């Protein structure tokens, strides 16, 4: 382990041997400060463990016997990174540029109120196409990736504030994680990065886009898993849970005239795809999970000194509807 590094890179892995070599070879070539690298394996049954042991002895391994989900894996890596100021979370199906770590660290060093900074993610198959240039959330109850599927251009080369960062290639400030908590393992997977970014925003911190950090990403489109039972049920469940967890009751009431049609549109969309029943089942589980999360103390408690942050967030939820519509028609 690099004892002097301020940053660790945590890579969750589940049967990802086909991607790991390219990912770790790129991490090895980082310019400047050399990061500590931790792979958290979620019970892989492929060649991942042999590959790590034989070809990457410098990489630290945390191994689970079964799949703990994205949240369980990254939380283990974050907890192990107690000596680092920053933790980068990186998907195993990515290839980062040599200045990736340095650019993300520089973005964080610019302002101690920054909680997270996201890299510019482009398609592995066609690097001229944006995969994710920052995450937004709107009052319809929809989370969406800025620039998804769009041609790269100047607009994606400028830093900006975000609602939250995609945890597939983002850096987080450890001391703020200590304050607001780690990733919520009730999510298991999907919307966990929106949730943690939202919690940071409520507490008054910022999430930013750092385009100088460039990442090529395979993503679900290439793996043929855009829609499946696991994804539809978990994403619909978590889309309810994230609202129940982060919105005070008054804010839920204010947004209800938009949330209801937002969820209806999603239900119709998935019904046309043949996943309508699965979507509804996920929504029902979301209400149950919200009650469970409240009982567990996971709901963000309203505090009056955070009222200005709630008001700013609410304004952004409305603006994001226009942003989403513009992205759809442009």
């Amino acid at each position: 382990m690099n004892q002097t590094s301020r940053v660790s890179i945590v890579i969750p892995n589940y049967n990802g041997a086909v991607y790991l070599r390219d990912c770790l070879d790129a991490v090895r070539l980082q310019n400047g400060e050399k990061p500590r690298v931790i792979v958290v394996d979620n019970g892989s049954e492929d060649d991942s463990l042999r590959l790590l042991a034989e070809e990457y002895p410098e990489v630290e391994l945390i191994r689970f016997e079964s799949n703990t989900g994205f949240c369980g894996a990254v939380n283990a890596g974050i907890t192990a990174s107690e000596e680092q100021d920053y933790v980068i979370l990186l998907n195993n199906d990515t290839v980062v540029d040599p200045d990736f770590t340095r650019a993300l660290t520089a973005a964080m060093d610019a302002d101690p109120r920054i909680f997270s900074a996201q890299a510019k993610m482009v398609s592995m198959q066609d690097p001229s196409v944006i995969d994710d240039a920052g995450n937004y959330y709107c009052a319809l109850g929809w989370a969406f990736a800025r620039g998804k599927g769009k041609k790269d251009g100047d607009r994606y080369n400028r830093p900006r504030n975000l609602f939250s960062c995609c945890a597939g290639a983002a850096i987080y400030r450890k001391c703020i994680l200590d304050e607001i908590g780690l990733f919520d393992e009730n999510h298991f997977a999907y919307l966990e990065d929106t949730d943690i970014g939202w919690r940071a925003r409520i507490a008054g911190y910022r999430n930013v886009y750092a385009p100088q950090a460039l990442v090529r990403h395979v993503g679900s489109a290439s793996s043929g898993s855009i829609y499946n039972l696991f994804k539809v049920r978990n994403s619909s469940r978590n889309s309810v849970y994230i609202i129940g967890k982060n919105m005070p009751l008054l804010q839920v009431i204010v947004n209800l005239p938009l949330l209801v049609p937002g969820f209806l549109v999603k239900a119709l969309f998935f019904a046309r795809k043949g996943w309508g029943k699965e979507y509804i089942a996920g929504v029902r589980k979301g209400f149950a999970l919200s009650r469970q999360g409240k009982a567990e103390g996971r709901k963000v408690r309203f505090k009056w000194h955070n009222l200005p942050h709630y008001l700013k967030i609410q304004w952004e939820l409305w603006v994001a509807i226009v942003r989403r519509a513009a992205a759809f028609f442009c």
Side-chain angles (χ1 to χ4, degrees), residues 116-147:
S116 65
Q118 179 187 325
K120 176 182 178 180
M121 303 176 73
V122 299
S123 168
M124 184 76 77
Q125 295 71 35
D126 183 356
S128 70
V129 174
I130 294 294
D131 181 70
D132 193 316
N135 288 179
Y136 290 100
Y137 185 82
C138 72
L140 293 167
W142 302 350
F144 57 96
R146 174 174 173 258

Side-chain angles (χ1 to χ4, degrees), residues 23-308:
C23 179
L24 292 173
D25 284 349
V27 168
R28 270 180 173 170
L29 298 176
Q30 291 301 282
N31 292 326
E33 181 179 344
K34 299 301 180 184
R36 176 185 180 186
V37 183
I38 303 171
V39 170
V40 184
D41 188 80
N42 260 334
S44 292
E45 298 175 347
D46 65 357
D47 210 29
S48 295
L49 299 181
R50 183 206 60 78
L51 178 71
L52 290 168
E54 294 182 5
E55 300 186 29
Y56 303 94
E58 77 278 14
V59 172
E60 299 175 52
L61 174 65
I62 299 174
R63 184 186 180 191
F64 290 104
E65 294 299 323
S66 60
N67 191 351
T68 66
F70 178 86
C71 296
V74 299
N75 281 350
I78 293 169
T79 300
S81 304
E82 58 184 359
E83 298 179 9
Q84 278 67 51
D85 297 326
Y86 303 132
V87 177
I88 293 173
L89 303 185
L90 184 65
N91 280 1
N92 60 2
D93 61 342
T94 58
V95 173
V96 301
D97 270 17
D99 281 329
F100 168 77
T101 301
R102 185 159 60 184
L104 287 182
T105 305
M108 299 295 283
D109 287 343
D111 182 357
R113 302 294 295 177
I114 293 176
F115 166 60
S116 65
Q118 179 187 325
K120 176 182 178 180
M121 303 176 73
V122 299
S123 168
M124 184 76 77
Q125 295 71 35
D126 183 356
S128 70
V129 174
I130 294 294
D131 181 70
D132 193 316
N135 288 179
Y136 290 100
Y137 185 82
C138 72
L140 293 167
W142 302 350
F144 57 96
R146 174 174 173 258
K148 183 77 171 180
K150 304 292 185 181
K151 280 292 183 180
D152 194 4
D154 288 342
R155 71 174 71 179
Y156 302 114
N157 292 325
R158 295 189 290 268
R160 63 184 300 149
N161 290 320
L162 301 172
F163 187 84
S164 62
C165 293
C166 171
I171 188 170
Y172 297 85
R173 193 180 301 271
K174 278 290 301 299
C175 64
I176 299 179
L177 283 168
D178 293 339
E179 176 186 341
I180 68 171
L182 302 182
F183 285 81
D184 185 347
E185 296 184 24
N186 277 350
H187 281 278
F188 193 82
Y190 302 116
L191 293 179
E192 70 287 326
D193 43 11
T194 302
D195 169 63
I196 203 167
W198 194 340
R199 282 188 274 140
R201 294 293 310 282
I202 290 171
Y205 298 108
R206 298 170 57 203
N207 303 302
V208 302
Y209 173 57
Q212 296 80 10
L214 184 63
V215 179
R216 286 174 287 157
H217 182 219
V218 174
S220 60
S222 296
S223 63
S225 58
I226 299 177
Y227 304 116
N228 54 57
L229 178 62
F230 175 81
K231 184 170 184 177
V232 172
R233 282 196 174 178
N234 276 273
S235 60
S236 59
R237 181 197 67 183
N238 292 343
S239 66
V240 175
Y241 178 51
I242 199 173
I243 294 168
K245 177 179 177 180
N246 292 292
M247 281 191 184
L249 178 59
L250 179 58
Q251 191 176 20
V252 173
I253 294 171
V254 167
N255 286 286
L256 207 56
L258 291 168
L259 290 172
V260 170
F263 275 87
L264 285 175
V265 167
K266 285 280 190 177
L268 291 173
F269 172 83
F270 283 109
R272 293 185 64 182
K273 296 287 184 180
W275 297 101
K277 291 182 179 179
E278 288 72 18
Y279 180 83
I280 296 300
V283 169
R284 288 174 177 168
K285 288 185 177 180
F287 284 104
L289 188 59
S290 296
R291 292 191 294 271
Q292 175 188 325
K294 185 176 181 180
E296 294 171 346
R298 296 179 185 269
K299 181 173 177 61
V300 178
R301 295 181 59 187
F302 176 81
K303 298 177 181 178
W304 281 104
H305 67 266
N306 286 330
L307 180 60

